[in-house]
Amino acid sequence: MGAPTWAPLRPCHLLLLLGIFLFLLYLSSWHLPELSLSACVWGGHSCPWLGETLPEEEEEKEEHVPVSAPTMTLKTPLPLWGEEFNIRHVQRAFKDSLTPRGEILLREYLHGWRQLTKFMDALGTAFGLISQETQSKITIMQQHQDGHHGLHYRTVQSMVNFELASGLVGFQTLPATQPPSGCRTLLRLHRALKWLELFLHKLGTSQKDDKPYQMCLDTYREALAPYHSWWVQHAAALAFLAMPSRQELYRIIFTRQEKQAAQAIVLTTVESLGRVYNVTQDVYSAHGMLELP
């Protein structure tokens, strides 16, 4: 797909885009209630297709479960890394997601993305909706992992093989009666990961007077704009105008002690993101899934 053409905006278009941008700012200033990762994004109830029962059925079953019944933990919980963004946690999560055999562990991959959503939240109000949309994708993937077929969603490779064999990918369209495809959902995160990888690389190699707005816009045009409509592209360009300064970004990303090694920390993180991105790219390319709708 060719690079988009960025024609000059007419005054009427500029005013309309500005109105959209201000409306997005208004919407993103509202705090939505938090949903647990086990809460389905479809209708606010557990999704039957992911192996969950409806609320009424759950209440009936709970009456027959002894209070003293032992529980079994099948997964080792990931460490609690706090609520604030920490770039070292991003680097660690994505590094741990790639196994020596070249498999990508989805659990660690999604944990890395949760850290990246904290980064987007820290960029300001204009990025609130982007962060919420990203979180919805993470929640869909988590639902697949928690469902009856969760074992098939341990790695990117096992997920792709399972969904292709089961006819769940939907190369043209996905029927509304089917659950959101893991492959299609992950592809959106995959494309966005390239954008953040490129942006962090530019930030890590930038000079004192470089503008984060321009760095973010340039990397967006390269990685994400080809998949977005004209209106989304220009609305995004307006949203980037609200980005913090380079100095403020460094304050968000690094502690005072880390600022001396800021470039090394960023580039190490970029390297981890790049390795995971490249493996995922190869998997999707091998199955002809890079252009899923």
Side-chain angles (χ1 to χ4, degrees):
M1 186 178 296
T5 302
W6 295 80
L9 291 175
R10 296 180 179 179
C12 59
H13 288 165
L14 183 59
L15 289 175
L16 181 56
L17 284 171
L18 182 58
I20 294 173
F21 175 60
L22 293 175
F23 180 64
L24 291 177
L25 284 178
Y26 170 75
L27 287 180
S28 59
S29 65
W30 289 76
H31 294 286
L32 299 178
E34 292 186 0
L35 295 176
S36 64
L37 289 177
S38 61
C40 182
V41 295
W42 289 76
H45 298 296
S46 300
C47 297
W49 56 65
L50 293 174
E52 303 289 345
T53 55
L54 294 175
E56 293 79 2
E57 297 173 342
E58 290 176 345
E59 291 178 0
E60 294 178 0
K61 289 187 177 182
E62 288 176 357
E63 296 177 359
H64 304 287
V65 177
V67 176
S68 59
T71 58
M72 180 180 296
T73 301
L74 299 179
K75 299 177 182 178
T76 303
L78 290 168
L80 297 177
W81 287 338
E83 295 300 324
E84 295 184 357
F85 171 74
N86 188 313
I87 193 169
R88 291 185 183 274
H89 296 163
V90 175
Q91 191 274 333
R92 175 182 169 186
F94 281 98
K95 179 182 179 182
D96 290 347
S97 72
L98 189 59
T99 72
R101 297 175 55 185
E103 295 177 312
I104 298 176
L105 302 173
L106 279 172
R107 188 160 169 255
E108 285 71 16
Y109 180 93
L110 295 177
H111 201 72
W113 258 110
R114 292 187 188 99
Q115 287 293 316
L116 287 174
T117 59
K118 295 178 184 179
F119 175 60
M120 289 188 284
D121 287 338
L123 292 180
T125 307
F127 286 81
L129 291 178
I130 300 176
S131 176
Q132 291 171 19
E133 179 64 19
T134 301
Q135 185 60 53
S136 73
K137 300 295 187 291
I138 296 173
T139 303
I140 291 172
M141 296 302 301
Q142 188 70 47
Q143 286 288 338
H144 281 297
Q145 289 193 312
D146 293 340
H148 279 321
H149 303 294
L151 290 177
H152 296 290
Y153 291 85
R154 179 177 174 271
T155 70
V156 170
Q157 289 85 344
S158 63
M159 175 190 72
V160 169
N161 291 334
F162 169 71
E163 290 199 343
L164 284 174
S166 304
L168 299 175
V169 175
F171 282 85
Q172 301 300 323
T173 59
L174 187 67
T177 54
Q178 286 188 222
S181 164
C183 289
R184 290 156 61 102
T185 302
L186 186 72
L187 181 59
R188 273 60 182 175
L189 294 175
H190 173 66
R191 291 168 177 170
L193 187 66
K194 187 62 176 180
W195 169 41
L196 291 173
E197 175 200 340
L198 294 174
F199 172 66
L200 287 174
H201 182 269
K202 278 186 174 291
L203 183 65
T205 57
S206 62
Q207 302 300 316
K208 183 178 180 180
D209 296 330
D210 289 341
K211 305 295 184 184
Y213 153 74
Q214 192 62 49
M215 291 186 278
C216 195
L217 180 59
D218 290 343
T219 53
Y220 168 80
R221 288 174 174 174
E222 180 177 349
L224 279 180
Y227 306 102
H228 291 166
S229 67
W230 183 92
W231 289 106
V232 172
Q233 292 173 22
H234 288 280
L238 285 174
F240 296 155
L241 288 172
M243 286 197 66
S245 65
R246 182 177 181 273
Q247 181 179 359
E248 181 65 14
L249 274 179
Y250 269 62
R251 187 193 66 78
I252 292 171
I253 297 175
F254 308 106
T255 64
R256 183 176 301 178
Q257 294 76 15
E258 291 175 333
K259 287 185 179 179
Q260 295 298 326
Q263 183 178 30
I265 295 172
V266 171
L267 295 183
T268 300
T269 303
V270 168
E271 183 180 1
S272 294
L273 298 182
R275 287 177 178 174
V276 172
Y277 175 87
N278 290 338
V279 173
T280 308
Q281 183 80 355
D282 289 342
V283 172
Y284 272 71
S285 177
H287 295 283
M289 298 196 304
L290 288 174
E291 301 298 330
L292 290 178

